[in-house]
Amino acid sequence: MNIVVGVTGGIAAYKAVHLVRLLIKDGHEVTVIPTEDALRFVGLPTWEAISRHPVTTSVHDDVAKVRHVALGQAAELVIVAPATANTIAKMAAGLADDLLGTTLLATTAPVAIAPAMHTEMWLHPATQANIDTLRERGVAILGPAEGELTGGDSGPGRMLESEQIAERALALIAERDLDGLRVVVSAGGTREPLDPVRFLGNRSSGRQGTALALAAADRGAEVVLVAAHVDGAVLADAVRHPLVRIEHTGTAAELGDAMRRAAEDAAVIVMAAAVADYRPAEVADAKLTKESGPLESIELVQNEDIVAGLAARRHPGQIVVAFAAESPQDADEMLARARRKRERKRVDLLVVNEVGWDRGFESATNAVQVIGESGAVLSRASGSKRAIADDIWDVISAHLG
Ligand code: CTP
């Protein structure tokens, strides 16, 4: 993919170096077009070395190749990061007094900008009006985030992290192979209360399930994300996504109810949540104390198997995908267990990953295998939870035919 990264004159320009690196590592051809001001923050040699392409700021360089329009014409995606208040104003007005300006006018590719500025400048009516104008023209506005700013102050104005910018900008040109498909994805871990302050829970962060929901939505699906105790920071992108609706749940019973409701008109059900297999037989009305008597054991009752129930009641053509978190002795045992689990639950696909003290949970990366009806391994993927999510949707998409 041919990507132009415009860099404008803000301190966050140094973060754009990482953005360019990420895009190149992902296999894209990147041309960097800094503004003159941007070069006061990060110099030309850095951009040339990192992008492995010549870099200029002016429309008067390389005139024979009509560079001032050629870059825009050839671009398949344009990202401006950071986008200062000044550049946003210039874009809204259609000014073209440098190479980035002419490129932005010459391109028909999707354009994404990652604003970065102080809160006052971001909230100024002039900037907000310019942002509205750009949004109406179809420019994707990525962020800004709230957080600490350069002067030690904090508020909205901080540029999104490079990973988020890359992911969301690339989503603009992603294949829309799931357009209009209704899907339901569960994420997180249930908590089974013991008393008003204590619960039995698990370490699932909800990152993999949320990544699955976002990947599907970026590919055009309408997603219901049934979340059990997923942190607000993990859910932030899903909250903003127009194709994702989030339902918050707590216990296995609540999650089961929400899944059954959402499954009624879903074509695909993905059960990524870690569900408690047992719950305390009794839930105390008040906090259990030492004075209320010693607690040496907790009587448990079994929760229903939600995904097995959904699979048993699935309507024709509906695809049910379960997960398996395993701590096996070796790779063969992991696959054998996963195959047995898929048969027991009668699901179409089962995604197995290894969990342990130091793997699976809470981390940003994962490694999974997807097992199909014959027990065959249909796919193996490792890397970011988002990359894995896309791989899983590739398998589901092929299954949908
Ligand atoms: N699951 C479910 N309802 C439960 C328990 C699990 O729907 N009460 C789902 C999970 O969401 C996951 C799959 O079943 O998609 C497998 O979960 P896992 O915890 O690996 O397996 P269990 O069925 O609990 O079996 P075991 O604990 O014996 O490994």
Side-chain angles (χ1 to χ4, degrees), residues 226-281:
V226 178
H229 304 284
V230 184
D231 198 77
V234 173
L235 284 178
D237 286 343
V239 169
R240 280 193 288 257
H241 203 298
L243 291 176
V244 180
R245 181 165 63 79
I246 302 176
E247 280 202 29
H248 293 278
T249 60
T251 62
E254 287 166 14
L255 188 112
D257 287 343
M259 287 303 288
R260 279 185 291 274
R261 267 196 314 273
E264 271 169 32
D265 59 356
V268 182
I269 300 166
V270 180
M271 190 72 185
V275 183
D277 290 320
Y278 298 92
R279 65 180 183 276

Short mmCIF file of all heavy atoms in Angstrom, two decimals, residues 226-281:
data_model
loop_
_atom_site.label_atom_id
_atom_site.label_comp_id
_atom_site.label_asym_id
_atom_site.label_seq_id
_atom_site.Cartn_x
_atom_site.Cartn_y
_atom_site.Cartn_z
N VAL A 226 -20.67 -7.82 23.98
CA VAL A 226 -21.15 -8.10 25.34
C VAL A 226 -19.92 -8.19 26.24
O VAL A 226 -19.12 -9.12 26.14
CB VAL A 226 -21.97 -9.41 25.38
CG1 VAL A 226 -22.41 -9.72 26.80
CG2 VAL A 226 -23.18 -9.31 24.45
N ALA A 227 -19.75 -7.15 27.06
CA ALA A 227 -18.51 -7.02 27.83
C ALA A 227 -18.76 -7.35 29.30
O ALA A 227 -19.75 -6.92 29.88
CB ALA A 227 -17.98 -5.60 27.70
N ALA A 228 -17.84 -8.14 29.85
CA ALA A 228 -17.92 -8.44 31.29
C ALA A 228 -16.66 -7.89 31.95
O ALA A 228 -15.56 -8.40 31.71
CB ALA A 228 -18.02 -9.94 31.51
N HIS A 229 -16.81 -6.80 32.67
CA HIS A 229 -15.71 -6.21 33.43
C HIS A 229 -14.49 -5.89 32.55
O HIS A 229 -13.37 -6.30 32.86
CB HIS A 229 -15.31 -7.11 34.60
CG HIS A 229 -16.47 -7.40 35.49
ND1 HIS A 229 -16.96 -6.48 36.38
CD2 HIS A 229 -17.28 -8.47 35.57
CE1 HIS A 229 -18.02 -6.98 36.98
NE2 HIS A 229 -18.25 -8.19 36.51
N VAL A 230 -14.74 -5.21 31.46
CA VAL A 230 -13.63 -4.78 30.60
C VAL A 230 -13.33 -3.32 30.94
O VAL A 230 -14.24 -2.49 31.00
CB VAL A 230 -13.97 -4.92 29.11
CG1 VAL A 230 -12.78 -4.55 28.25
CG2 VAL A 230 -14.44 -6.35 28.80
N ASP A 231 -12.07 -3.04 31.18
CA ASP A 231 -11.63 -1.70 31.55
C ASP A 231 -12.02 -0.66 30.50
O ASP A 231 -11.97 -0.95 29.30
CB ASP A 231 -10.11 -1.77 31.68
CG ASP A 231 -9.58 -0.61 32.48
OD1 ASP A 231 -9.70 -0.68 33.71
OD2 ASP A 231 -9.08 0.35 31.85
N GLY A 232 -12.35 0.55 30.94
CA GLY A 232 -12.73 1.62 30.03
C GLY A 232 -11.66 1.91 28.99
O GLY A 232 -11.96 2.20 27.83
N ALA A 233 -10.38 1.83 29.39
CA ALA A 233 -9.30 2.14 28.44
C ALA A 233 -9.26 1.09 27.33
O ALA A 233 -8.98 1.41 26.17
CB ALA A 233 -7.96 2.17 29.17
N VAL A 234 -9.54 -0.17 27.66
CA VAL A 234 -9.54 -1.23 26.65
C VAL A 234 -10.71 -1.03 25.68
O VAL A 234 -10.60 -1.27 24.48
CB VAL A 234 -9.64 -2.63 27.33
CG1 VAL A 234 -9.81 -3.74 26.32
CG2 VAL A 234 -8.41 -2.88 28.20
N LEU A 235 -11.83 -0.50 26.22
CA LEU A 235 -13.04 -0.34 25.40
C LEU A 235 -13.08 0.96 24.60
O LEU A 235 -13.97 1.15 23.77
CB LEU A 235 -14.28 -0.38 26.30
CG LEU A 235 -14.73 -1.75 26.83
CD1 LEU A 235 -15.94 -1.57 27.74
CD2 LEU A 235 -15.08 -2.69 25.68
N ALA A 236 -12.11 1.87 24.85
CA ALA A 236 -12.20 3.25 24.32
C ALA A 236 -12.50 3.30 22.81
O ALA A 236 -13.41 4.02 22.39
CB ALA A 236 -10.94 4.02 24.64
N ASP A 237 -11.77 2.53 22.01
CA ASP A 237 -11.99 2.58 20.55
C ASP A 237 -13.35 2.00 20.18
O ASP A 237 -14.00 2.47 19.24
CB ASP A 237 -10.88 1.80 19.81
CG ASP A 237 -9.57 2.57 19.80
OD1 ASP A 237 -9.61 3.79 20.07
OD2 ASP A 237 -8.52 1.95 19.55
N ALA A 238 -13.77 0.96 20.90
CA ALA A 238 -15.07 0.34 20.61
C ALA A 238 -16.20 1.32 20.94
O ALA A 238 -17.19 1.39 20.21
CB ALA A 238 -15.22 -0.95 21.41
N VAL A 239 -16.03 2.09 22.00
CA VAL A 239 -17.06 3.06 22.40
C VAL A 239 -17.26 4.08 21.28
O VAL A 239 -18.39 4.47 20.98
CB VAL A 239 -16.63 3.78 23.72
CG1 VAL A 239 -17.53 4.97 24.00
CG2 VAL A 239 -16.64 2.81 24.89
N ARG A 240 -16.16 4.47 20.64
CA ARG A 240 -16.24 5.50 19.59
C ARG A 240 -16.69 4.94 18.23
O ARG A 240 -17.03 5.69 17.34
CB ARG A 240 -14.86 6.16 19.41
CG ARG A 240 -14.57 7.21 20.46
CD ARG A 240 -13.36 8.02 20.05
NE ARG A 240 -12.15 7.23 20.18
CZ ARG A 240 -11.28 7.35 21.16
NH1 ARG A 240 -11.48 8.25 22.09
NH2 ARG A 240 -10.21 6.60 21.22
N HIS A 241 -16.63 3.60 18.07
CA HIS A 241 -16.90 3.05 16.74
C HIS A 241 -18.39 3.07 16.43
O HIS A 241 -19.19 2.54 17.20
CB HIS A 241 -16.37 1.61 16.65
CG HIS A 241 -16.10 1.19 15.25
ND1 HIS A 241 -17.08 1.12 14.30
CD2 HIS A 241 -14.96 0.86 14.62
CE1 HIS A 241 -16.56 0.74 13.16
NE2 HIS A 241 -15.26 0.57 13.32
N PRO A 242 -18.79 3.66 15.31
CA PRO A 242 -20.23 3.76 15.01
C PRO A 242 -20.92 2.41 14.81
O PRO A 242 -22.14 2.32 14.92
CB PRO A 242 -20.28 4.59 13.72
CG PRO A 242 -18.90 4.53 13.15
CD PRO A 242 -17.96 4.31 14.29
N LEU A 243 -20.16 1.36 14.50
CA LEU A 243 -20.80 0.06 14.23
C LEU A 243 -20.75 -0.89 15.43
O LEU A 243 -21.14 -2.05 15.33
CB LEU A 243 -20.14 -0.62 13.02
CG LEU A 243 -20.40 0.06 11.67
CD1 LEU A 243 -19.63 -0.64 10.55
CD2 LEU A 243 -21.90 0.03 11.34
N VAL A 244 -20.27 -0.39 16.58
CA VAL A 244 -20.21 -1.26 17.77
C VAL A 244 -21.17 -0.76 18.83
O VAL A 244 -21.18 0.42 19.17
CB VAL A 244 -18.77 -1.29 18.37
CG1 VAL A 244 -18.73 -2.21 19.60
CG2 VAL A 244 -17.75 -1.75 17.34
N ARG A 245 -22.02 -1.67 19.33
CA ARG A 245 -22.87 -1.34 20.48
C ARG A 245 -22.40 -2.22 21.64
O ARG A 245 -22.25 -3.43 21.48
CB ARG A 245 -24.34 -1.65 20.13
CG ARG A 245 -25.31 -1.33 21.26
CD ARG A 245 -26.74 -1.30 20.73
NE ARG A 245 -27.20 -2.58 20.22
CZ ARG A 245 -27.62 -3.59 20.99
NH1 ARG A 245 -27.64 -3.45 22.31
NH2 ARG A 245 -28.03 -4.72 20.45
N ILE A 246 -22.16 -1.59 22.78
CA ILE A 246 -21.61 -2.34 23.91
C ILE A 246 -22.71 -2.62 24.93
O ILE A 246 -23.48 -1.73 25.28
CB ILE A 246 -20.46 -1.56 24.58
CG1 ILE A 246 -19.36 -1.26 23.56
CG2 ILE A 246 -19.89 -2.33 25.77
CD1 ILE A 246 -18.23 -0.41 24.07
N GLU A 247 -22.78 -3.87 25.40
CA GLU A 247 -23.68 -4.20 26.52
C GLU A 247 -22.81 -4.65 27.68
O GLU A 247 -22.03 -5.59 27.54
CB GLU A 247 -24.63 -5.33 26.11
CG GLU A 247 -25.77 -4.83 25.29
CD GLU A 247 -26.96 -5.78 25.34
OE1 GLU A 247 -27.16 -6.49 26.34
OE2 GLU A 247 -27.67 -5.79 24.33
N HIS A 248 -22.97 -3.99 28.82
CA HIS A 248 -22.16 -4.35 29.98
C HIS A 248 -22.86 -5.41 30.81
O HIS A 248 -24.07 -5.31 31.05
CB HIS A 248 -21.88 -3.11 30.83
CG HIS A 248 -21.00 -2.13 30.13
ND1 HIS A 248 -19.63 -2.25 30.11
CD2 HIS A 248 -21.30 -1.03 29.39
CE1 HIS A 248 -19.12 -1.26 29.39
NE2 HIS A 248 -20.11 -0.50 28.94
N THR A 249 -22.11 -6.43 31.22
CA THR A 249 -22.68 -7.48 32.06
C THR A 249 -21.72 -7.77 33.21
O THR A 249 -20.57 -7.32 33.19
CB THR A 249 -22.90 -8.78 31.26
OG1 THR A 249 -21.64 -9.20 30.76
CG2 THR A 249 -23.85 -8.58 30.10
N GLY A 250 -22.19 -8.55 34.18
CA GLY A 250 -21.34 -8.84 35.34
C GLY A 250 -21.13 -10.33 35.54
O GLY A 250 -20.01 -10.83 35.43
N THR A 251 -22.21 -11.05 35.82
CA THR A 251 -22.09 -12.48 36.14
C THR A 251 -22.27 -13.32 34.88
O THR A 251 -22.71 -12.83 33.83
CB THR A 251 -23.19 -12.88 37.14
OG1 THR A 251 -24.46 -12.66 36.50
CG2 THR A 251 -23.12 -12.07 38.42
N ALA A 252 -21.99 -14.63 35.03
CA ALA A 252 -22.19 -15.56 33.91
C ALA A 252 -23.66 -15.56 33.49
O ALA A 252 -23.97 -15.60 32.29
CB ALA A 252 -21.74 -16.97 34.32
N ALA A 253 -24.56 -15.50 34.48
CA ALA A 253 -26.00 -15.54 34.16
C ALA A 253 -26.38 -14.31 33.33
O ALA A 253 -27.10 -14.42 32.33
CB ALA A 253 -26.81 -15.60 35.45
N GLU A 254 -25.87 -13.13 33.73
CA GLU A 254 -26.17 -11.90 32.97
C GLU A 254 -25.58 -11.98 31.56
O GLU A 254 -26.22 -11.59 30.58
CB GLU A 254 -25.60 -10.68 33.68
CG GLU A 254 -26.38 -10.29 34.93
CD GLU A 254 -25.62 -9.30 35.81
OE1 GLU A 254 -24.62 -8.71 35.35
OE2 GLU A 254 -26.03 -9.13 36.96
N LEU A 255 -24.35 -12.47 31.48
CA LEU A 255 -23.70 -12.58 30.17
C LEU A 255 -24.48 -13.53 29.26
O LEU A 255 -24.69 -13.27 28.08
CB LEU A 255 -22.25 -13.05 30.34
CG LEU A 255 -21.42 -13.00 29.07
CD1 LEU A 255 -20.33 -11.94 29.17
CD2 LEU A 255 -20.77 -14.32 28.75
N GLY A 256 -24.94 -14.65 29.86
CA GLY A 256 -25.73 -15.62 29.10
C GLY A 256 -27.00 -14.99 28.54
O GLY A 256 -27.32 -15.15 27.36
N ASP A 257 -27.71 -14.22 29.40
CA ASP A 257 -28.95 -13.57 28.95
C ASP A 257 -28.66 -12.61 27.80
O ASP A 257 -29.37 -12.60 26.79
CB ASP A 257 -29.59 -12.77 30.11
CG ASP A 257 -30.22 -13.71 31.14
OD1 ASP A 257 -30.43 -14.89 30.79
OD2 ASP A 257 -30.45 -13.26 32.27
N ALA A 258 -27.62 -11.79 27.96
CA ALA A 258 -27.29 -10.79 26.93
C ALA A 258 -26.89 -11.48 25.63
O ALA A 258 -27.27 -11.04 24.53
CB ALA A 258 -26.15 -9.89 27.42
N MET A 259 -26.14 -12.58 25.74
CA MET A 259 -25.71 -13.30 24.52
C MET A 259 -26.91 -13.89 23.80
O MET A 259 -27.00 -13.80 22.57
CB MET A 259 -24.72 -14.42 24.88
CG MET A 259 -23.34 -13.96 25.27
SD MET A 259 -22.51 -12.95 24.02
CE MET A 259 -22.12 -14.14 22.75
N ARG A 260 -27.82 -14.50 24.55
CA ARG A 260 -28.98 -15.13 23.90
C ARG A 260 -29.84 -14.08 23.18
O ARG A 260 -30.31 -14.30 22.07
CB ARG A 260 -29.81 -15.91 24.93
CG ARG A 260 -29.22 -17.29 25.22
CD ARG A 260 -30.11 -18.09 26.14
NE ARG A 260 -30.10 -17.53 27.48
CZ ARG A 260 -29.19 -17.82 28.41
NH1 ARG A 260 -28.23 -18.69 28.15
NH2 ARG A 260 -29.23 -17.26 29.60
N ARG A 261 -30.01 -12.92 23.83
CA ARG A 261 -30.79 -11.83 23.20
C ARG A 261 -30.12 -11.39 21.89
O ARG A 261 -30.74 -11.32 20.84
CB ARG A 261 -30.89 -10.63 24.15
CG ARG A 261 -32.13 -10.62 25.02
CD ARG A 261 -32.36 -9.25 25.62
NE ARG A 261 -31.18 -8.63 26.18
CZ ARG A 261 -30.74 -8.81 27.43
NH1 ARG A 261 -31.40 -9.59 28.25
NH2 ARG A 261 -29.66 -8.19 27.85
N ALA A 262 -28.80 -11.11 21.99
CA ALA A 262 -28.09 -10.58 20.81
C ALA A 262 -27.96 -11.63 19.72
O ALA A 262 -27.85 -11.30 18.54
CB ALA A 262 -26.72 -10.07 21.23
N ALA A 263 -27.95 -12.91 20.13
CA ALA A 263 -27.73 -14.00 19.15
C ALA A 263 -28.93 -14.19 18.24
O ALA A 263 -28.80 -14.75 17.14
CB ALA A 263 -27.42 -15.29 19.87
N GLU A 264 -30.12 -13.69 18.68
CA GLU A 264 -31.34 -13.95 17.91
C GLU A 264 -31.21 -13.55 16.44
O GLU A 264 -31.60 -14.29 15.56
CB GLU A 264 -32.53 -13.23 18.54
CG GLU A 264 -33.21 -14.11 19.58
CD GLU A 264 -34.21 -13.35 20.41
OE1 GLU A 264 -34.82 -12.40 19.89
OE2 GLU A 264 -34.34 -13.71 21.60
N ASP A 265 -30.65 -12.34 16.20
CA ASP A 265 -30.53 -11.93 14.79
C ASP A 265 -29.08 -11.78 14.35
O ASP A 265 -28.76 -11.01 13.47
CB ASP A 265 -31.33 -10.64 14.53
CG ASP A 265 -30.87 -9.49 15.39
OD1 ASP A 265 -29.98 -9.73 16.24
OD2 ASP A 265 -31.37 -8.38 15.22
N ALA A 266 -28.20 -12.59 14.96
CA ALA A 266 -26.78 -12.52 14.57
C ALA A 266 -26.43 -13.66 13.62
O ALA A 266 -26.93 -14.77 13.78
CB ALA A 266 -25.89 -12.60 15.81
N ALA A 267 -25.57 -13.36 12.66
CA ALA A 267 -25.12 -14.41 11.74
C ALA A 267 -23.93 -15.15 12.33
O ALA A 267 -23.68 -16.31 12.00
CB ALA A 267 -24.73 -13.78 10.40
N VAL A 268 -23.17 -14.45 13.20
CA VAL A 268 -21.98 -15.06 13.81
C VAL A 268 -21.95 -14.75 15.30
O VAL A 268 -22.21 -13.61 15.70
CB VAL A 268 -20.68 -14.52 13.16
CG1 VAL A 268 -19.46 -15.21 13.75
CG2 VAL A 268 -20.69 -14.69 11.64
N ILE A 269 -21.65 -15.76 16.10
CA ILE A 269 -21.50 -15.59 17.55
C ILE A 269 -20.06 -15.95 17.91
O ILE A 269 -19.61 -17.05 17.59
CB ILE A 269 -22.45 -16.54 18.31
CG1 ILE A 269 -23.91 -16.26 17.93
CG2 ILE A 269 -22.24 -16.43 19.82
CD1 ILE A 269 -24.86 -17.38 18.37
N VAL A 270 -19.35 -15.01 18.52
CA VAL A 270 -17.97 -15.30 18.93
C VAL A 270 -17.89 -15.17 20.45
O VAL A 270 -18.12 -14.11 21.02
CB VAL A 270 -16.96 -14.33 18.28
CG1 VAL A 270 -15.54 -14.67 18.72
CG2 VAL A 270 -17.07 -14.39 16.76
N MET A 271 -17.59 -16.27 21.10
CA MET A 271 -17.62 -16.31 22.57
C MET A 271 -16.18 -16.26 23.10
O MET A 271 -15.56 -17.28 23.36
CB MET A 271 -18.33 -17.61 22.97
CG MET A 271 -18.66 -17.71 24.41
SD MET A 271 -20.00 -16.61 24.89
CE MET A 271 -19.97 -16.91 26.64
N ALA A 272 -15.67 -15.03 23.22
CA ALA A 272 -14.28 -14.87 23.67
C ALA A 272 -14.18 -14.62 25.17
O ALA A 272 -13.09 -14.63 25.72
CB ALA A 272 -13.62 -13.73 22.91
N ALA A 273 -15.31 -14.40 25.84
CA ALA A 273 -15.26 -14.09 27.28
C ALA A 273 -14.83 -15.32 28.08
O ALA A 273 -15.09 -16.46 27.68
CB ALA A 273 -16.63 -13.61 27.76
N ALA A 274 -14.17 -15.06 29.20
CA ALA A 274 -13.83 -16.14 30.14
C ALA A 274 -14.97 -16.21 31.16
O ALA A 274 -15.18 -15.27 31.92
CB ALA A 274 -12.51 -15.83 30.83
N VAL A 275 -15.71 -17.30 31.07
CA VAL A 275 -16.91 -17.42 31.90
C VAL A 275 -16.61 -18.31 33.11
O VAL A 275 -16.00 -19.38 32.95
CB VAL A 275 -18.07 -18.05 31.07
CG1 VAL A 275 -19.34 -18.12 31.90
CG2 VAL A 275 -18.29 -17.27 29.79
N ALA A 276 -17.06 -17.89 34.28
CA ALA A 276 -16.86 -18.71 35.47
C ALA A 276 -17.69 -19.98 35.34
O ALA A 276 -18.87 -19.93 35.00
CB ALA A 276 -17.30 -17.94 36.70
N ASP A 277 -17.04 -21.13 35.56
CA ASP A 277 -17.77 -22.39 35.46
C ASP A 277 -18.65 -22.61 36.69
O ASP A 277 -19.60 -23.38 36.64
CB ASP A 277 -16.78 -23.55 35.32
CG ASP A 277 -16.09 -23.53 33.96
OD1 ASP A 277 -16.77 -23.24 32.97
OD2 ASP A 277 -14.87 -23.76 33.91
N TYR A 278 -18.27 -21.97 37.80
CA TYR A 278 -19.02 -22.16 39.05
C TYR A 278 -19.32 -20.81 39.69
O TYR A 278 -18.60 -19.84 39.48
CB TYR A 278 -18.19 -22.99 40.03
CG TYR A 278 -17.89 -24.38 39.52
CD1 TYR A 278 -16.72 -24.62 38.79
CD2 TYR A 278 -18.79 -25.43 39.73
CE1 TYR A 278 -16.45 -25.89 38.30
CE2 TYR A 278 -18.52 -26.69 39.23
CZ TYR A 278 -17.35 -26.91 38.51
OH TYR A 278 -17.08 -28.16 38.02
N ARG A 279 -20.38 -20.78 40.51
CA ARG A 279 -20.67 -19.58 41.30
C ARG A 279 -20.97 -20.01 42.72
O ARG A 279 -21.41 -21.17 42.94
CB ARG A 279 -21.86 -18.81 40.70
CG ARG A 279 -23.16 -19.57 40.75
CD ARG A 279 -24.33 -18.79 40.17
NE ARG A 279 -25.57 -19.53 40.31
CZ ARG A 279 -26.00 -20.47 39.48
NH1 ARG A 279 -25.27 -20.80 38.43
NH2 ARG A 279 -27.13 -21.10 39.70
N PRO A 280 -20.77 -19.13 43.68
CA PRO A 280 -21.10 -19.49 45.07
C PRO A 280 -22.60 -19.83 45.16
O PRO A 280 -23.44 -19.14 44.58
CB PRO A 280 -20.78 -18.21 45.85
CG PRO A 280 -19.74 -17.53 45.03
CD PRO A 280 -20.11 -17.81 43.60
N ALA A 281 -22.89 -20.90 45.91
CA ALA A 281 -24.29 -21.36 46.03
C ALA A 281 -25.13 -20.28 46.71
O ALA A 281 -26.30 -20.12 46.40
CB ALA A 281 -24.34 -22.65 46.82
#
